[in-house]
Amino acid sequence: MSSDPYENLSISTGAVAQPNTSLVNKTGSWRQFRPVIDADACIGCGQCDTYCPDQAAKQVDDQLYGIDLDYCKGCGICAEECPTDAIEMIREDS
Amino acid sequence: MATADSTPGEDTQVMKGTSAVAKGVAAIDPDVISAYPITPQTGVVEKLSEIVADGDIDSEFIKVDSEFNAASTCIGASAAGARAFSATSSQGLKLMSEPLFTAAGHRLPIVMAVANRSLSGPLSIWADHTDCFAERDGGMMQFHAEDVQEAIDHVLLSFKVAEQVNLPALSNFDGFILTHVQEPANIPTEAEVSEFLPPRDPAYTLDPSDPATMGAYARPEHWTEARYEVQAALEDARDVWTDAVEEFDDVFGRDYTEYDGMIDTYRADDAETVIVALGSICGTIRGVIDEMRADGELVGLVRPRVHRPFPAEQLRDALSGAHQVAVLTKENSQGFESALASEIKSALYHAEHQPPMKTYILGMAGRDVTSEDIKAIVADAETATDVMDFSESESWPQLREDIISGGI
Ligand code: SF4
Ligand code: SF4
């Protein structure tokens, strides 16, 4: 499999590409807020991962989750769902 | 039966339009059927769900909670290689609009029977072409049936062409006028269908053993090309359709080959006044033409069978001797004029002969169109002598002045 999923793109059959086009399209630039996880408060429950519509929340180790800002849209769902209020949404310009 | 030789015989049954279309689809036995009931289409999916529940065909009938999901289910099934069918009408077609544009862009040959109906508001359940014209620009092929037999046959032809050019097709037939009429119709046999419609052979399918992204996120450097390819596929669809109607005649013995299968005409060869119209209204128009011809008036009919791709060349040809053209249409593009009239004018821009044309918007939302209405329109159209006279180029002959205030 090519590292560029668009390498053999077939537009004439309806934009058929290699898998993982979503990985090369870094869509995090649309964000106005970003989630910041308080490592001390995070219990590693994975709720942020379950609810994130972009699968941007990722397990870092047994106890801690992190956010892949290349894909995070800043919607704040993870912060809403986090049972320990470990996630704070902060303005991108601050 | 105006359009094809369907001699009542052993294979011919008198039945309601919705049941007839359902039985035609059952003869195709698509892999997946997913639809949601909406008036006046409901009978099509009710009958199909019954046929599937009785075990008479092998199709997977996937129940869904809305037309959006019916179209989306067909997209998933079609992407996985299935032959997928749906049916809808009016608001249901609007709810499908978003996934249907996607289906065209993803090059998925989903076929849908559309029982044409006006769009809200005000609420109306009755027939006109507001619904299918609203989907005009999405890359779907569009066909218009005049009678029940054509409604069945166009579904078969739609699958045949859709799977060769990889585009979805809307097989339109007028709500109530054709869905709820009882007409003799010939239901194709499975043997005929298997001769006409080979198993689908898609270039790509969703396959876990050979993963691919279908309908990838197209970046600005890709998207124009994707739309160009849909346009090119629609251009190709003309020849594919022409071949399909010829093969259809060989297999089923019904001849739709006039003007490459793109348009159907009635007493148009020597006609001075030519009426252009779509769908079931043409039955009434044929009767009026016979009466007027008996009085020596040279009137004829040109009926586009295919609306997308647009039969521009065939229309230029069929209207090349017309002294006047009257477009009778059950839609308009709000804020300008009838879309059908605009398109015919656009086609004639490239023609040597540009007859004066008048457009008549009528029969909207099920309003009855009588022989007298059509005779009055022909008489009015005959006064059109100057193609440059725009002032009177469009009228709403059935408008009730008594219930409008003429403004806000
Ligand atoms: S802000 Fe939204 S997109 Fe970003 S990680 Fe949280 S849930 Fe996902
Ligand atoms: S939801 Fe909150 S506590 Fe749970 S893993 Fe995510 S950040 Fe940690």
Side-chain angles (χ1 to χ4, degrees), chain A residues 1 4 6 8-21 24-25 27 30, chain B residues 105-107 166 203-204 211-219 222-223 225-227 229:
Chain A
M1 207 174 288
D4 175 9
Y6 285 99
N8 297 312
L9 177 72
S10 171
I11 276 288
S12 51
T13 54
V16 176
Q18 302 292 315
N20 291 337
T21 53
V24 299
N25 292 301
T27 49
W30 306 342
Chain B
H106 289 196
R107 308 299 301 277
N166 295 310
Y204 287 92
T213 298
M214 289 183 71
Y217 174 31
R219 298 186 295 216
H222 307 134
W223 200 87
E225 289 68 20
R227 296 322 287 183
E229 290 281 18

Side-chain angles (χ1 to χ4, degrees), chain B residues 74-76 78-79 102-110 166-169 200 214:
Chain B
C74 287
I75 285 174
S78 188
T102 302
H106 289 196
R107 308 299 301 277
L108 299 172
I110 298 159
N166 295 310
L167 285 176
R200 191 181 157 208
M214 289 183 71

Side-chain angles (χ1 to χ4, degrees), chain B residues 249-271:
Chain B
D249 188 18
D250 291 342
V251 176
F252 298 96
R254 287 189 287 282
D255 181 0
Y256 298 132
T257 59
E258 192 188 4
Y259 282 100
D260 308 318
M262 303 294 283
I263 62 177
D264 176 37
T265 68
Y266 185 65
R267 305 185 81 167
D269 285 350
D270 62 341

Side-chain angles (χ1 to χ4, degrees), chain B residues 64-347:
Chain B
V64 285
D65 61 354
S66 74
E67 284 89 350
F68 188 99
N69 287 339
S72 301
T73 298
C74 287
I75 285 174
S78 188
R83 178 172 282 160
F85 174 82
S86 190
T88 192
S89 185
S90 184
Q91 313 300 125
L93 182 57
K94 288 309 290 174
L95 195 48
M96 285 183 172
S97 181
E98 195 252 9
L100 280 178
F101 275 55
T102 302
H106 289 196
R107 308 299 301 277
L108 299 172
I110 298 159
V111 171
M112 313 212 343
V114 179
N116 300 116
R117 169 186 143 184
S118 49
L119 289 170
S120 284
L123 175 63
S124 160
I125 60 166
W126 306 100
D128 70 29
H129 294 147
T130 315
D131 57 359
C132 58
F133 271 74
E135 303 309 314
R136 191 184 55 160
D137 305 329
M140 298 150 246
M141 294 182 286
Q142 297 223 24
F143 310 109
H144 280 269
E146 179 177 338
D147 57 26
V148 171
Q149 185 68 61
E150 269 193 357
I152 301 166
D153 294 348
H154 281 184
V155 170
L156 269 158
L157 283 158
S158 292
F159 272 113
K160 178 88 173 177
V161 178
E163 291 176 5
Q164 287 175 76
V165 300
N166 295 310
L167 285 176
L170 307 187
S171 186
N172 296 293
F173 66 131
D174 291 338
F176 292 106
I177 304 167
L178 296 182
T179 55
H180 287 56
V181 72
Q182 300 263 352
E183 270 186 3
N186 186 296
I187 304 298
T189 63
E190 280 173 42
E192 286 169 328
V193 172
S194 59
E195 188 185 343
F196 180 69
L197 197 61
R200 191 181 157 208
D201 183 21
Y204 287 92
T205 58
L206 292 177
D207 176 2
S209 66
D210 181 19
T213 298
M214 289 183 71
Y217 174 31
R219 298 186 295 216
E221 66 266 34
H222 307 134
W223 200 87
T224 304
E225 289 68 20
R227 296 322 287 183
Y228 177 83
E229 290 281 18
V230 171
Q231 173 75 11
L234 279 165
E235 300 290 346
D236 290 346
R238 299 171 200 280
D239 287 345
V240 177
W241 173 269
T242 300
D243 292 345
V245 289
E246 279 170 17
E247 200 181 328
F248 190 91
D249 188 18
D250 291 342
V251 176
F252 298 96
R254 287 189 287 282
D255 181 0
Y256 298 132
T257 59
E258 192 188 4
Y259 282 100
D260 308 318
M262 303 294 283
I263 62 177
D264 176 37
T265 68
Y266 185 65
R267 305 185 81 167
D269 285 350
D270 62 341
E272 292 179 354
T273 303
V274 178
I275 301 172
V276 182
L278 294 175
S280 62
I281 192 179
C282 295
T284 313
I285 293 170
R286 285 170 204 267
V288 170
I289 288 171
D290 287 343
E291 283 181 44
M292 296 188 97
R293 285 258 173 189
D295 294 337
E297 290 207 57
L298 296 176
V299 186
L301 168 70
V302 164
R303 175 177 69 94
R305 175 190 298 288
V306 180
H307 178 225
R308 277 293 179 278
F310 194 68
E313 189 190 322
Q314 290 79 6
L315 282 167
R316 281 195 286 271
D317 203 2
L319 300 177
S320 62
H323 296 195
Q324 301 90 22
V325 176
V327 179
L328 273 60
T329 186
K330 298 182 179 185
E331 49 71 40
N332 93 310
S333 172
Q334 304 256 276
F336 189 41
E337 65 177 359
S338 141
L340 181 63
S342 282
E343 291 174 348
I344 294 168
K345 285 180 190 171
S346 176

